[in-house]
Amino acid sequence: MDLSDKVAIVTGSSKGIGKAIALELAACGAKVAVSGRNNETVEAVRKEIEQNGGEAISVVADISKMDDAVNLINKTLEKWERINILVNNAGITRDNLIMRMSEEDWEAVLKTNLTGTFNCIKSVTRQMMKQRSGSIINIASIVGIMGNAGQANYAASKAGIIGLSKSVARELASRGITCNAIAPGFIDTEMTNRLDEKVKEDLNGQIPLGRIGEVEDVSKIVAFLGSDDASYITGQVINVDGGLLIG
């Protein structure tokens, strides 16, 4: 995938799926703004991209705050004067059964996952409209489609991202801007690594392809959606789940 003429922002890109996305876009030739809450970890990803021959900047941002989202956009524009791809990946979990879930845990997850996505989209829209082009890619989850016990806040935030993606796609299509969501299933990250082997075996048995996904399974779809080859795809939700939600 050739993204050599693209500038991309990836939120929550210091580890896991976000890091894989940043590395994949850079490997395809894009200039990448790496973003997260921790300066040390985002700097490490920036350095890794540059060591691999890519071009990147790191911007510390808590995208649940509008001012931080605006600063992320502005820092990227100061460096490269355009933004072609925005990947809203930043997200947190605060799992608990709903009868035990605190208001603080509910609000924290909604604020980062859903409001943070809104903040970044709102902040980038003016520039993309000026360019009359752009690709917005939001990382949702199959949990936002099927629900999950103990994750009412997370499921609500990811379902909200799906609705937000479709609305943005309708609003911005006339300006040549696409907006799509990716809904990963169970992906091999720090979160799934905490599961014991029996739970992983049970998961594999539920997945038609018989395995938990790799971060690259998601990052390669992001690269495609950010490319010119995907210019006629908008308002879609692409499940990357090994067939878990077939039916």
Side-chain angles (χ1 to χ4, degrees), residues 87-157:
V87 184
N88 288 301
N89 169 76
I92 62 171
T93 57
R94 296 286 187 274
D95 297 350
N96 214 331
L97 295 175
I98 196 161
M99 65 182 295
R100 297 175 182 167
M101 186 176 291
S102 67
E103 291 180 26
E104 290 78 14
D105 284 347
W106 170 268
E107 291 171 358
V109 171
L110 269 290
K111 192 169 184 181
T112 294
N113 299 8
L114 183 54
T115 302
T117 298
F118 162 79
N119 288 344
C120 291
I121 292 173
K122 180 177 172 64
S123 301
V124 83
T125 298
R126 186 180 300 276
Q127 176 63 31
M128 286 188 171
M129 290 178 71
K130 180 181 176 182
Q131 296 168 181
R132 301 192 68 83
S133 67
S135 175
I136 299 169
I137 304 161
N138 301 321
I139 307 302
S141 170
I142 60 166
V143 172
I145 300 171
M146 69 179 191
N148 197 29
Q151 288 193 307
N153 48 5
Y154 186 76
S157 72

Side-chain angles (χ1 to χ4, degrees), residues 9-21:
I9 295 173
V10 186
T11 69
S13 49
S14 62
K15 60 182 179 179
I17 292 173
K19 178 180 177 180
I21 291 169

Side-chain angles (χ1 to χ4, degrees), residues 69-82:
V70 170
N71 183 61
L72 172 59
I73 301 305
N74 288 342
K75 290 289 187 184
T76 306
L77 289 174
E78 286 171 13
K79 177 66 175 179
W80 293 304
E81 299 183 339
R82 68 186 188 280

Side-chain angles (χ1 to χ4, degrees), residues 214-231:
E214 304 292 335
V215 290
E216 291 78 14
D217 294 322
V218 179
S219 66
K220 290 183 183 300
I221 298 296
V222 173
F224 168 68
L225 289 176
S227 74
D228 293 339
D229 291 342
S231 62

